Amino acid sequence: MAEAESRNTHKLYEKDKIGEVQIADDVVAIIAGLAATEVEGVDSMAGNITNELVAKLGMKNLSKGVKVELTLDEHVSVDLSLNIKYGYSIPTVSEKVQEKVQTAIENMTGLTVLDVNIRIAGVAMEENK
């Protein structure tokens, strides 16, 4: 329980309910990362060197390449770093990612997404088989 308390969390209060709901920043980041990678044209999430080393060691980090900022009034801003597949339109894929991430976060958490900022970190070339 101490580990959960050390993470940044956001409390959602609902009147006439029996308790409170807390959502960790990491949970919102995972939702955003999974939603982004479901869009056609996105190859993978891009992360920093630490995240790359963690991935090579076999530990899965689903929030790699995602930065989430939660405000006290139930609003969230998301920054994503993506590797896009070669041959896809960056503006088209980026728009689809923004829409999918916003919808996923709002439907699953009830938070309001203020913005989804995308940074294209690289282009993945397809390997010929």
Side-chain angles (χ1 to χ4, degrees):
M1 191 69 179
E3 180 183 321
E5 291 175 6
S6 67
R7 298 188 303 178
N8 289 334
T9 60
H10 179 73
K11 294 180 183 179
L12 296 179
Y13 293 98
E14 296 183 18
K15 294 181 180 172
D16 302 325
K17 298 293 179 183
I18 60 172
E20 67 183 28
V21 176
Q22 292 186 356
I23 300 175
D25 290 359
D26 293 346
V27 172
V28 178
I30 290 169
I31 293 168
L34 289 172
T37 55
E38 291 177 356
V39 174
E40 185 177 353
V42 174
D43 182 65
S44 62
M45 301 302 295
N48 60 29
I49 286 203
T50 304
N51 286 335
E52 296 297 333
L53 290 174
V54 168
K56 287 181 183 178
L57 294 173
M59 299 166 67
K60 200 168 189 180
N61 186 355
L62 296 174
S63 61
K64 178 174 84 168
V66 182
K67 180 183 172 197
V68 172
E69 291 182 30
L70 288 165
T71 64
L72 295 176
D73 53 350
E74 298 182 6
H75 291 89
V76 62
S77 292
V78 181
D79 295 327
L80 299 168
S81 294
L82 305 175
N83 292 317
I84 194 165
K85 292 180 182 175
Y86 178 78
Y88 283 85
S89 166
I90 292 174
T92 301
V93 171
S94 296
E95 184 178 348
K96 288 178 184 175
V97 168
Q98 288 171 319
E99 291 170 359
K100 184 138 187 154
V101 167
Q102 178 181 13
T103 301
I105 291 172
E106 288 180 350
N107 288 343
M108 292 182 73
T109 66
L111 297 169
T112 302
V113 177
L114 293 177
D115 51 17
V116 178
N117 302 307
I118 297 178
R119 181 177 69 88
I120 304 301
V123 176
M125 305 299 283
E126 291 186 35
E127 295 179 14
N128 293 332
K129 293 184 179 181

